[in-house]
Amino acid sequence: MVKFLKPNKAVILLQGRYAGRKAVIVRAFDDGTRDRPYGHCLVAGINKYPSKVIRKDSSKKTAKKSRVKAFVKLVNFQHLMPTRYTLDVDLKDVVAVESLQSRDKKVTAAKETKKRLEERFKSGKNRWFFTKLRF
Amino acid sequence: MVAAKKTKKTHESINNRLALVMKSGKYTLGYKTVLKSLRNSKGKLVIIANNCPPLRKSEIEYYAMLAKVGVHHYNGNNVDLGTACGKYYRVCCLSIVDPGDSDIIKSMPGEH
């Protein structure tokens, strides 16, 4: 009876090219829109997870290993698995529905989310979100 | 060791309450609609048959945990649950949206 598909919820994508990737809900459209008459949400997720960093690595190698590739997508609720985790990253100003209209806007949105996710990863918080889901 | 042997009396009372919900309330039958009702927070109680596949059962329980909705494990398989709903088909899981005149929601969550 509690709505749980809210912004900042961590979810796992189940279908599509990004199946198995973790993402965070940026904006939820519970009743759908004219183009998408079903419940869906705008998610920002990780396309390529950061690799494991060990103590032996030089700083150049650490920087290279901590890179994250991000994506932005509109997903049907049915193709998500919600989790109990949340990720408090402010992505509302960066990611919007208009940024999915054209290719270059999508790229800039993805680049900006990549930057924010990388700094969150480097801070060491939300470790679960940045580990690959093994299946 | 089963936690508490489900006596015939409580089993009958669940069936009675379920029959009342079928008559006077709103409900959805089936896995897909159960998840839908949990996602848009319309479901108030979820009932799962005992021969539901364990992965599906865990998934429904997880969704119900997120939505803070009670789950009742019905003492019977999907054939029995379908019969209890008055249907001539099997029902593996169902979600009660509006209990109508029944007190199933107030009395059930105390049990499990």
Side-chain angles (χ1 to χ4, degrees):
Chain A
M1 267 198 288
V2 167
K3 270 193 57 50
F4 51 88
L5 288 167
K6 293 205 277 220
N8 293 332
K9 182 67 126 179
V11 297
I12 302 178
L13 266 60
L14 297 173
Q15 307 274 2
R17 187 156 52 111
Y18 300 113
R21 305 282 199 276
K22 295 179 188 167
V24 60
I25 296 182
V26 176
R27 197 164 157 213
F29 303 91
D30 300 309
D31 300 313
T33 56
R34 175 77 61 72
D35 308 319
R36 286 173 177 254
Y38 47 81
H40 62 286
C41 55
L42 187 58
V43 296
I46 304 181
N47 191 356
K48 202 190 283 191
Y49 288 89
S51 331
K52 210 169 173 63
V53 176
I54 51 179
R55 204 208 310 219
K56 219 163 65 150
D57 290 332
S58 62
S59 67
K60 213 164 61 159
K61 217 163 188 185
T62 324
K64 207 161 187 170
K65 278 191 182 178
S66 314
R67 286 188 306 187
V68 166
K69 188 157 169 28
F71 67 87
V72 175
K73 192 166 167 49
L74 277 172
V75 190
N76 190 345
F77 281 153
Q78 262 195 321
H79 304 146
L80 295 177
M81 180 68 204
T83 65
R84 62 183 169 90
Y85 298 96
T86 55
L87 187 76
D88 277 317
V89 168
D90 190 23
L91 287 168
K92 272 207 228 319
D93 45 337
V94 170
V95 175
V97 180
E98 307 92 54
S99 54
L100 286 170
Q101 308 294 35
S102 75
R103 168 63 76 101
D104 48 335
K105 279 198 229 165
K106 200 193 237 187
V107 166
T108 46
K111 279 212 171 93
E112 186 57 42
T113 52
K114 166 192 161 78
K115 209 182 311 186
R116 304 245 172 119
L117 288 177
E118 266 178 14
E119 61 182 67
R120 181 53 68 94
F121 171 66
K122 290 193 179 113
S123 79
K125 296 197 237 158
N126 305 117
R127 201 156 286 218
W128 175 85
F129 188 79
F130 293 101
T131 47
K132 191 147 100 157
L133 185 68
R134 304 280 310 164
F135 60 94
Chain B
M1 178 67 173
V2 178
K5 187 162 192 314
K6 204 53 156 307
T7 62
K8 202 139 178 269
K9 214 172 358 158
T10 43
H11 188 54
E12 276 174 19
S13 76
I14 299 165
N15 284 351
N16 293 341
R17 292 199 173 95
L18 204 50
L20 194 47
V21 172
M22 295 295 133
K23 203 162 44 161
S24 64
K26 289 200 186 36
Y27 54 92
T28 62
L29 306 175
Y31 171 65
K32 274 172 78 168
T33 56
V34 162
L35 289 189
K36 265 198 193 161
S37 75
L38 286 172
R39 265 186 223 118
N40 57 15
S41 57
K42 293 260 166 52
K44 305 229 172 8
L45 177 67
V46 170
I47 301 179
I48 307 180
N50 69 3
N51 66 344
C52 182
L55 183 60
R56 185 182 292 192
K57 181 156 53 170
S58 323
E59 193 183 354
I60 298 178
E61 285 172 352
Y62 196 81
Y63 268 81
M65 176 271 289
L66 290 175
K68 300 210 206 325
V69 163
V71 169
H72 183 264
H73 295 98
Y74 185 73
N75 187 19
N77 60 9
N78 48 6
V79 179
D80 301 333
L81 190 50
T83 312
C85 296
K87 308 289 180 196
Y88 290 108
Y89 44 79
R90 297 175 288 268
V91 170
C92 189
C93 45
L94 68 100
S95 164
I96 295 175
V97 172
D98 172 22
D101 299 325
S102 175
D103 63 346
I104 192 170
I105 296 192
K106 289 184 278 287
S107 61
M108 278 309 119
E111 278 194 25
H112 71 86

